[in-house]
Amino acid sequence: MTEPEKPTPSTGHAPYIPQKISGPVLMGVVPGQPLAVAHRAADLARSLGVKLVCAYVDVTTYLVEEPCGRMEASPIDPDGVDDDIEGISASLAGHLRDALGTVGVDWSFVTLAGDPARALGRLAESTGASVIVVGTRERGLGARFEELLVGSVAVHLTHRQHRPVLVVPLAPQPRQQPKAGH
């Protein structure tokens, strides 16, 4: 083990001293998401000795600030299709409970409103999250079209955050095996 260096008179900067990570791991959750994301986030939280916060963002709502200063979620289209957000949230929480209930990680679940990258960023800031964990999208034309329309949550997070973003690959492209003789 080496001693930390003392500041040099010419720079005046104190040397970097690593700090213990203490903020929770924040994981973005979407319906139908493979458990690989939850497993990787739980591995990370357990390794760091911190809590895991699982967050689902309801994109059919947006936040409105009430006169008292409280934030309230309102539907984007009150006359539109009435999705069962509470049912979706309960289903996701139950799915996570089944997957994480016995792994020895302290975790919680929360439902947020609005743009996923902004909502996860606000939650990361308010909880002092150490890292944000999200999964990639499944491959296919539908996923590419959706990404073209709304963009990638992972990309938006990496450009808006001062904390690391871990992107868990869900369906990586298989590596091309070199053909014999090439």
Side-chain angles (χ1 to χ4, degrees):
M1 188 160 163
T2 60
E3 295 285 324
E5 294 180 19
K6 300 210 180 323
T8 59
S10 61
T11 63
H13 295 288
Y16 170 72
I17 300 172
Q19 304 294 311
K20 176 155 177 39
I21 292 176
S22 60
V25 170
L26 172 58
M27 176 183 70
V29 181
V30 295
Q33 177 174 291
L35 287 176
V37 179
H39 292 160
R40 186 57 55 209
D43 290 345
L44 185 58
R46 183 179 178 127
S47 297
L48 296 172
V50 297
K51 183 177 181 172
L52 172 61
V53 178
C54 307
Y56 166 63
V57 182
D58 174 15
V59 295
T60 66
T61 59
Y62 66 100
L63 291 177
V64 176
E65 187 172 357
E66 299 292 327
C68 63
R70 198 179 113 212
M71 299 299 279
E72 185 70 33
S74 293
I76 290 173
D77 182 6
D79 298 327
V81 176
D82 185 19
D83 286 334
D84 180 18
I85 297 308
E86 289 160 3
I88 293 170
S89 290
S91 174
L92 286 170
H95 190 60
L96 289 168
R97 193 175 309 105
D98 292 343
L100 301 174
T102 60
V103 298
V105 173
D106 183 20
W107 68 277
S108 62
F109 178 81
V110 63
T111 301
L112 307 171
D115 172 75
R118 292 184 192 278
L120 290 172
R122 281 191 303 271
L123 183 59
E125 192 62 36
S126 70
T127 62
S130 309
V131 62
I132 301 172
V133 179
V134 294
T136 58
R137 288 204 172 108
E138 296 290 332
R139 291 192 328 241
L141 185 59
R144 283 189 174 173
F145 184 68
E146 182 183 353
E147 188 166 334
L148 180 65
L149 290 176
V150 296
S152 164
V153 172
V155 169
H156 285 286
L157 282 168
T158 58
H159 290 290
R160 295 179 181 159
Q161 288 299 306
H162 65 275
R163 61 189 41 84
V165 177
L166 173 64
V167 182
V168 178
L170 297 178
Q173 294 271 348
R175 287 191 171 179
Q176 296 291 331
Q177 296 295 328
K179 294 181 182 177
H182 287 107

